[in-house]
Amino acid sequence: MAKRFWIGAVTLMICLANMQAQTQVIAHRGFWKTEGSAQNSITALEKAAEAQVYGSEFDVQMTIDGKLVVNHDSSIEGMIVTETSYKQLRTLRIKNGEQLPTLKKYLKRGKKLDIKLILEIKPLTTPEMECQATAKIVKMVKRMRLEEQVEYISFSMNVCEQLVKLTPTSEIAYLNGDIAPAALKAKGINGIDYRYNVITEHPEWVEEAHREGMKVNVWTVNKEDLMKRLIDMKVDYITTDHPLEAKAMTK
Ligand code: MG
């Protein structure tokens, strides 16, 4: 009887350890390297959900008149997003023919899908603008009751600190790669999302983050050997332009 108990207990412990070690996949700017898709498009979000990965990452910026839009580059067809009104941008088409998505439209679609929404708040021209954009974004996420589904990431420490104030129970990860996990945890930031070379140069940060109860995400991991190396390092998430290949490797 006792022997059977111990076999059961050990099996359960092994299962739990494996569950913790499982690396999950985040589609970088959605799943865009596929038919009819484009970076940061609504289609890319839908395709990421179809691929059944953990999350879909996307970039959020604010126009001069305070409209939140989903786009990576600071300018579109020569127009700088932060210096242009939404009225001027709304007529533009992104590469797959879709209208430039507003954050509201993006979140509305995401809410119907079974996938985490990894929302990157881009650094803006001034700290005041960053505070304004962050407050607006958090308010929208809360109003749409998406707090469980949205996770935040940013290169801006100011944005991360604002997020800690406004939505302290959310997943918040810092992207810039220049701060050790424990120092971030002391600020209330509960994740690191660092470029792959930072993580391979600081393998001890994975363990440090886990000791602090933080998640480790790594970007942008497109090569198979690197995926394997990071999976072996037990990072929590791999952010990639190749979600299907990454998913096959994490199984
Ligand atoms: Mg991004």
Side-chain angles (χ1 to χ4, degrees):
M1 189 66 187
K3 192 180 167 192
R4 217 190 276 170
F5 168 80
W6 283 112
I7 291 170
V10 169
T11 311
L12 181 68
M13 277 162 66
I14 292 168
C15 285
L16 287 172
N18 282 341
M19 269 168 68
Q20 268 185 340
Q22 183 77 53
T23 302
Q24 300 198 77
V25 176
I26 294 171
H28 181 236
R29 303 179 196 168
F31 184 12
W32 58 275
K33 280 184 181 248
T34 186
E35 184 79 31
S37 194
Q39 292 186 5
N40 282 315
S41 64
I42 300 267
T43 307
L45 170 64
E46 290 167 343
K47 298 273 186 193
E50 269 172 41
Q52 296 184 313
V53 290
Y54 173 82
S56 190
E57 187 263 357
F58 56 102
D59 305 289
V60 179
Q61 300 185 50
M62 191 172 65
T63 63
I64 198 165
D65 52 343
K67 192 87 169 174
L68 298 163
V69 293
V70 179
N71 188 65
H72 178 266
D73 294 350
S74 56
S75 65
I76 315 170
E77 291 184 20
M79 288 187 274
I80 299 167
V81 176
T82 52
E83 296 174 6
T84 309
S85 70
Y86 177 64
K87 203 177 163 190
Q88 286 171 281
L89 294 175
R90 66 179 298 175
T91 53
L92 298 178
R93 291 285 176 269
I94 57 175
K95 282 193 175 140
N96 68 340
E98 279 179 34
Q99 190 180 15
L100 178 74
T102 61
L103 177 62
K104 196 173 179 186
K105 196 173 166 191
Y106 209 88
L107 293 178
K108 215 172 160 185
R109 185 68 191 104
K111 190 171 178 163
K112 295 203 170 78
L113 304 170
D114 182 20
I115 192 162
K116 293 280 184 187
L117 305 169
I118 315 298
L119 194 163
E120 179 179 349
I121 304 178
K122 296 308 261 185
L124 296 172
T125 331
T126 65
E128 291 74 24
M129 278 180 81
E130 287 187 347
C131 291
Q132 196 196 342
T134 306
K136 270 184 175 232
I137 291 165
V138 171
K139 198 173 165 192
M140 187 182 285
V141 168
K142 287 186 177 181
R143 205 172 46 221
M144 293 176 79
R145 297 184 191 281
L146 278 166
E147 285 154 286
E148 293 292 314
Q149 202 181 341
V150 169
E151 298 183 7
Y152 297 95
I153 57 175
S154 188
F155 279 97
S156 161
M157 180 52 74
N158 176 40
V159 167
C160 289
E161 287 172 343
Q162 292 306 311
L163 287 166
V164 170
K165 276 189 211 157
L166 298 167
T167 182
T169 57
S170 291
E171 297 291 332
I172 303 163
Y174 176 65
L175 287 162
N176 209 34
D178 55 348
I179 301 179
L184 291 173
K185 189 61 193 286
K187 290 172 179 281
I189 297 162
N190 49 25
I192 55 169
D193 187 354
Y194 286 172
R195 191 168 187 266
Y196 59 83
N197 63 306
V198 175
I199 296 298
T200 53
E201 281 161 27
H202 291 280
E204 75 282 6
W205 281 2
V206 177
E207 231 173 77
E208 182 179 322
H210 288 161
R211 253 197 328 267
E212 296 285 338
M214 302 167 77
K215 293 284 200 255
V216 178
N217 188 351
V218 190
W219 55 274
T220 304
V221 185
N222 289 338
K223 291 195 175 130
E224 278 197 14
D225 57 340
L226 188 58
M227 284 177 193
K228 190 177 179 319
R229 188 169 168 192
L230 291 163
I231 291 164
D232 289 345
M233 288 173 75
K234 299 190 174 9
V235 304
D236 299 282
Y237 310 113
I238 279 177
T239 298
T240 177
D241 293 316
H242 303 286
L244 295 179
E245 289 85 342
K247 199 182 165 203
M249 289 192 75
T250 54
K251 268 181 184 165

